[in-house]
Each structure stands twice: as structure tokens, then as C-alpha cells.
Amino acid sequence: MSGGGEGAVVRASGGVLWRPSPSGPEVAVVHRPRYDDWSLPKGHVEPDEHPVVAGLREVVEETGFSARFVRAVGQVSYDVPRRKRHGPGGATVRKRVGYWSALAGSGVFAPNEETDELRWLPVKPATALLSYPIDRRILRAFGKQPRSTATMLIVRHAKAGRKQGYQGDDLARPLDRNGRAQAEALVDLLGAFGPGRLLSAPPVRCTQTLEPLAAETGLPLVEEPTMSETAYARDPAAAHRRIREIARTGEESGTVPVVCSQGGVIPDLTAWWAGADDVRLPAARNRKASVWVLTTEGGRLLTMDHIDSPLPLEH
């Protein structure tokens, strides 16, 4: 009997931690002594935490390795026993776990409260070792994904009040209080992908969206005129060429570019790129401070994922 009828959902997040090898990717599988099972690193999303940020935190805590997220792998749902913190309802509650591809950095595994052993294995042996079908499903999905680790992030600027209510040049319209909170939240969210280059359309609300990230990382924030609504309306083809160029430069330098643009650019730009390179365009509202996570190869689009908000789910 499922107790999910009350609508309560337990949210968790994790990652497929992997490293390249001459014979293909090796995946980290962890043993959890509490359950005596083999699993992918994952854990609960805290109330004040974004699922992406929680997923990276859990990967690092359970494996001891730094990592950066590359692309989404998938999501699974299943019933778990209801506990007091889940509130009233039936005997069980629905648990939903999202997984991201996590490219391993440096680190050393040490047994901890959650995990007492880690094994690096090729995808097929790792899949066979996993204790649960839902984890095996995630790893099979990972095995079908492109191996490119070139990631690009396209961010819509955060909230900046209403244009009609601002007295002055609209290019100078700043973020409002909610927008500043979104910009601060973007620091950890975008940080999960290892940003290495920051570009912004000229409007102040765009540059202010990335300023907290620039301050945190020490990266320069460079103006990118082709990503403004004015320039895009005048010459969208120039923006199309430029976004591919930014992607190729990121691939060649091994850095993750972050591009902040506007609502009059991003929906059309992403739709064009998806159509040009025959990639499925996920449904997206393209709200302020939302993020597109793209992977590319040779400037060609491979995958697209959309993050609707940088704020914790309760917001």
C-alpha cells in the first residue's frame, strides 16, 4: 500500500561519479554498511538546499573525491517507510532521487559514517555490482550518454522589478531584492559545474546576476554584446555563431563558460541550437535566474538540461 496519496515527497540527490580511463569510464560504487548494499552516492536534500548542490555535497562526502557535474543522468522514484519528519499519511512516502554525471577530480576515499568501501569499475561490472534495479537503470542511462565533458551554462538574469516601474535607462535597471537573493543562490548552483569563464550581456541586471559568482571565484566578468536582446533582434545569426565559438573555446581550454543573457534571447537561442543539432529541447519556462546546462563537442550541441530556479525547492 502506498502512502504517497498525501502528496508528500522525500527528495534526494546524487551523482554517477566517474573518471576516464583508456578502456572507457570507471564508475565509483560505494558500500553502505547500514544497509549492507552497493549503491551510487546520494543523500537527502536539506530544507535550505538546492537538489543540485545537495547532490554534489553527497558525492564528495561519501567518496572523498572532488567533482564537477556535467549533465543530468536521470531520476528515479520509489516508496520508503514514512517517518515522523515526513508528516501524517500512510505507511509509506514517495522518494525521488535525481542523479547527475559527476566528473571526478582529486581525492582519496576514507571509510565514513555512510560508506565503508569504494570500488572503481567499468560501467558493466559496476552495474552488476549495484544492489538495486533502480540504480542499475541510472547506470545504464549513464552508459548511453556522450563521453564529452564540455559543459556550458546559459543563465537568464535574475529578477529586476518591472520595466514600467523603473525611471531611467533600462540598461541600468538593477536587480531587486529577490533578484539579489537569486544571484547569491546561483553561486553554489553554478559552482557545482566548475565554472571557468564568465560572460554577460551588457544590461546591469545581467552583470549583477553573475557578480557574486565572479567575487566567489575570482574570475573576470566579461561583457558579451551579442547576447543582449537588442543585438539578438538585430542579428540572431551573429549570436548563433558566437555561442558556438564560446562553446569551442571552452572545449579547447577545458573551461566551463557561463553566459548570462535575457528573456528575449534565451528561448529562441536554445530552440535554434536544439533544432540545428537535432537535440531534444526539454520543456522549460525560462524563468528569471533559470539555467540551461548544455554539453557540446566541436561546438555542436549534444545534450540539454534545464534548471528552473537556483533557490531551494521550498521557495
PDB file of all heavy atoms in Angstrom, residues 69 171 274-275 304:
ATOM      1  N   PHE A  69      29.738  18.569 -11.817  1.00  0.00           N
ATOM      2  CA  PHE A  69      28.651  17.978 -12.581  1.00  0.00           C
ATOM      3  C   PHE A  69      28.784  18.347 -14.057  1.00  0.00           C
ATOM      4  O   PHE A  69      29.225  19.452 -14.406  1.00  0.00           O
ATOM      5  CB  PHE A  69      27.306  18.446 -12.046  1.00  0.00           C
ATOM      6  CG  PHE A  69      26.876  17.742 -10.782  1.00  0.00           C
ATOM      7  CD1 PHE A  69      25.842  18.250 -10.018  1.00  0.00           C
ATOM      8  CD2 PHE A  69      27.488  16.575 -10.364  1.00  0.00           C
ATOM      9  CE1 PHE A  69      25.419  17.611  -8.866  1.00  0.00           C
ATOM     10  CE2 PHE A  69      27.090  15.923  -9.210  1.00  0.00           C
ATOM     11  CZ  PHE A  69      26.050  16.443  -8.457  1.00  0.00           C
ATOM     12  N   LEU A 171      18.803  49.877 -19.564  1.00  0.00           N
ATOM     13  CA  LEU A 171      20.059  49.127 -19.494  1.00  0.00           C
ATOM     14  C   LEU A 171      20.667  49.183 -18.094  1.00  0.00           C
ATOM     15  O   LEU A 171      21.427  48.294 -17.703  1.00  0.00           O
ATOM     16  CB  LEU A 171      21.067  49.671 -20.507  1.00  0.00           C
ATOM     17  CG  LEU A 171      20.760  49.422 -21.982  1.00  0.00           C
ATOM     18  CD1 LEU A 171      21.805  50.107 -22.858  1.00  0.00           C
ATOM     19  CD2 LEU A 171      20.720  47.931 -22.280  1.00  0.00           C
ATOM     20  N   ALA A 274      19.018  23.598 -30.532  1.00  0.00           N
ATOM     21  CA  ALA A 274      18.479  22.238 -30.472  1.00  0.00           C
ATOM     22  C   ALA A 274      18.050  21.766 -31.859  1.00  0.00           C
ATOM     23  O   ALA A 274      18.334  20.630 -32.267  1.00  0.00           O
ATOM     24  CB  ALA A 274      17.304  22.190 -29.502  1.00  0.00           C
ATOM     25  N   GLY A 275      17.378  22.634 -32.595  1.00  0.00           N
ATOM     26  CA  GLY A 275      16.937  22.262 -33.932  1.00  0.00           C
ATOM     27  C   GLY A 275      18.091  22.071 -34.891  1.00  0.00           C
ATOM     28  O   GLY A 275      18.101  21.129 -35.699  1.00  0.00           O
ATOM     29  N   MET A 304      20.966  18.794 -23.461  1.00  0.00           N
ATOM     30  CA  MET A 304      20.411  19.998 -22.848  1.00  0.00           C
ATOM     31  C   MET A 304      19.630  19.602 -21.600  1.00  0.00           C
ATOM     32  O   MET A 304      18.800  18.687 -21.647  1.00  0.00           O
ATOM     33  CB  MET A 304      19.456  20.721 -23.803  1.00  0.00           C
ATOM     34  CG  MET A 304      19.984  21.005 -25.178  1.00  0.00           C
ATOM     35  SD  MET A 304      18.736  21.826 -26.226  1.00  0.00           S
ATOM     36  CE  MET A 304      18.781  23.490 -25.563  1.00  0.00           C
TER      37      MET A 304
END
